[in-house]
Amino acid sequence: MPSGLRDNNLKTRRHPVSPEWTLLGCGALGGVFASLLTLSGQPTRILLRERHRATLHPGIDFTSLDGHTQLLAIERAFIDKPGPIRRLLVMTKAGQVISALTPLVGQLAAGVPIVLLHNGMGIAERVAALFPHNPVIAGVTSHGALQSGHFVFRHTGRGETWLGPVNEAARSCAHLADELARALGQAGWDEQILTRQWQKLAVNCAINPLTALYRLKNGELAGPRFADVLQQICVEVADVMQAEGQPTSSDELLRRVMTVVELTADNYSSMYQDMEQGRETEIEAITGFLLGKAAVHGIAVPVNQGLYQAVKEKR
Ligand code: KPL
């Protein structure tokens, strides 16, 4: 990616006023969402954290699903001077959500919606406590994304995105799903977002640790070698979900997992990518969250426990 790109070479203009979206967390998925929002005509500003101040910030090199590559100028700002924020889209890794948002405590205007799109659970409630005057929205997405260099992103799979309210103030924010849908092709609003979060957690408990530990593409989990372990993971997650008041069955969860395995067969899971790059994984917010809930209900989850330990030890 060449540095020092001039804006007039790029596809979009800078937007000095108030962007539609301010995005915190420009990893693979964040970079793809920023690109898709920009291309749909919704000006987006990327908020960079302090540790990125010393690095170069060229335009975004974005490759869409059809393989077309283009350079996009996307406005950037630093977290200490974020500029006006209309909606905040938080796409950091689960483990970084709280530390990334902390500088905005007391700075973010009341009423500005905070949309959280990360793997794992247990964080949205903490964000709602930190920002009692803001609508907090939890989201799940199954889009595939790859980052192959500094600000070089590829959209690798069209997925579904669902948003829903975490606190009362967020109940009036359903229109945000429509706006995301303009960029993503589909996005829906679901008042029962907790159920969708659990279903996504089940998929992540099954796919992410195994693909990361065995260094596989998602599709390779369809082989007979993994049939038993996937089944056992789903039995354990279903037990915990039922104890949490989420009606489901291990068969239903296994069907969901196998559908995602098939739809994302050619993708590397985010945990695989994190481990390969030596980054912190989301194991705490995914399997760690499950283990915490299992302990509360006194449910044994030995297979998930083993995967959790193996991922922790590998780092
Ligand atoms: O969410 C994912 C991830 O990689 O984190 C899945 C759905 C497993 C797709 O890779």
Side-chain angles (χ1 to χ4, degrees), residues 91-103:
M91 298 191 70
T92 65
K93 291 283 172 191
Q96 294 162 8
V97 170
I98 299 295
S99 61
L101 279 172
T102 300

Side-chain angles (χ1 to χ4, degrees), residues 119 141-144 200 203-204 207-208 218 260 264 267-271 282 286:
N119 278 331
T141 186
S142 54
H143 279 267
K200 177 80 195 296
V203 168
N204 288 135
I207 297 180
N208 293 30
N218 292 356
V260 176
T264 63
N267 292 5
Y268 290 103
S269 76
S270 56
M271 197 171 286
E282 293 182 302
I286 297 173

Side-chain angles (χ1 to χ4, degrees), residues 94-116:
Q96 294 162 8
V97 170
I98 299 295
S99 61
L101 279 172
T102 300
L104 294 176
V105 173
Q107 305 294 321
L108 195 64
V112 172
I114 305 174
V115 181
L116 302 168

Side-chain angles (χ1 to χ4, degrees), residues 66-125:
D66 61 10
H68 176 64
T69 300
Q70 56 199 309
L71 297 175
L72 303 172
I74 295 183
E75 197 192 333
R76 288 157 295 247
F78 284 92
I79 193 100
D80 59 337
K81 283 206 184 106
I85 299 179
R86 291 188 59 200
R87 295 102 181 234
L88 187 62
L89 183 56
V90 184
M91 298 191 70
T92 65
K93 291 283 172 191
Q96 294 162 8
V97 170
I98 299 295
S99 61
L101 279 172
T102 300
L104 294 176
V105 173
Q107 305 294 321
L108 195 64
V112 172
I114 305 174
V115 181
L116 302 168
L117 270 174
H118 56 76
N119 278 331
M121 291 176 71
I123 292 156
E125 299 70 17

